Amino acid sequence: MNTKIKIAVVDDDESVHDILRYFYRDSDLAEITHSFTNPHHVLEEAPKLDFDLCFLDIRLPCMSGITVAQMLGHKPVIFLTGSEDKLKEALELNPIDVITKPFTRERLDQGLHKAAKLISECIEYAVFNVAESHKKVKIYLPDILF
C-alpha cells in the first residue's frame, strides 16, 4: 500500500488517544487524523472528515460504539474494547477486527494490516445474473454507467 491509512479514533478515554498517537506518530502504515472523545461529535463531523478507518470503543458514554458504527455506515471499523458484554453484537456488524484493551502495538498492527488489504483491494470485475438468465456473465465494473 502506497499511502497511510487515515484513522479516526473514537474513545472516551483520553489516554487511549495518547497511546495511539504515540504508536503511529512516525508510522509508514497509519496516521491518526481525527480524535473524538464524544460519539456525538464524530457523527456531526463525519460527512466532512477524510478518514479510511475508525478505531471505535464499544462502550462509550451516552451512545454505544455499536450504534456509532451503524451510523457511520460504510466506514470500516476496528473495535477497541475493555469489556466482553457487547462482543457478540459488535461481531454482527462485521468489523475488520475487535481488539481488546489493554492492547499492544503489534496487535493493532495486525488489525491495520487486515484493514490495509481490504481498503486497497480493487475489484476489476464481478459476476452477475443478467436479465434473469441462468448464465453468468463477466461485467467489468468500470464499464457500468449509471
Side-chain angles (χ1 to χ4, degrees):
M1 187 168 161
N2 295 337
T3 60
K4 294 181 183 184
I5 299 172
K6 294 177 273 187
I7 301 172
V9 179
V10 183
D11 198 303
D12 59 316
D13 184 351
E14 192 63 48
S15 65
V16 170
H17 294 265
D18 294 338
I19 291 167
L20 292 170
R21 280 191 291 269
Y22 175 76
F23 282 170
Y24 295 104
R25 70 184 184 281
D26 296 323
S27 171
D28 291 332
L29 179 61
E31 65 179 318
I32 307 299
T33 57
H34 308 285
S35 291
F36 297 92
T37 55
N38 184 321
H40 293 290
H41 292 155
V42 73
L43 293 174
E44 289 169 8
E45 297 292 321
K48 300 178 268 183
L49 300 178
D50 180 25
F51 65 98
D52 303 313
L53 173 72
C54 186
F55 277 151
L56 182 57
D57 189 3
I58 292 176
R59 300 196 81 203
L60 294 165
C62 72
M63 182 183 297
S64 158
I66 293 166
T67 302
V68 174
Q70 291 169 331
M71 294 177 84
L72 287 174
H74 65 283
K75 288 292 186 180
V77 170
I78 292 180
F79 283 116
L80 305 175
T81 187
S83 66
E84 298 177 8
D85 62 332
K86 295 199 178 237
L87 283 179
K88 184 177 179 183
E89 192 177 349
L91 290 171
E92 289 174 3
L93 293 179
N94 200 22
I96 290 177
D97 208 340
V98 177
I99 299 174
T100 56
K101 296 175 185 176
F103 46 77
T104 63
R105 167 81 187 258
E106 291 76 23
R107 180 62 184 95
L108 289 168
D109 284 352
Q110 286 176 353
L112 286 172
H113 285 293
K114 279 194 243 179
K117 182 178 178 189
L118 291 171
I119 291 168
S120 68
E121 275 185 356
C122 180
I123 300 173
E124 292 183 26
Y125 65 87
V127 179
F128 296 91
N129 277 331
V130 177
E132 299 294 321
S133 73
H134 297 290
K135 186 177 176 183
K136 302 287 183 186
V137 178
K138 281 186 185 179
I139 299 176
Y140 292 89
L141 294 181
D143 293 336
I144 297 175
L145 299 175
F146 293 101

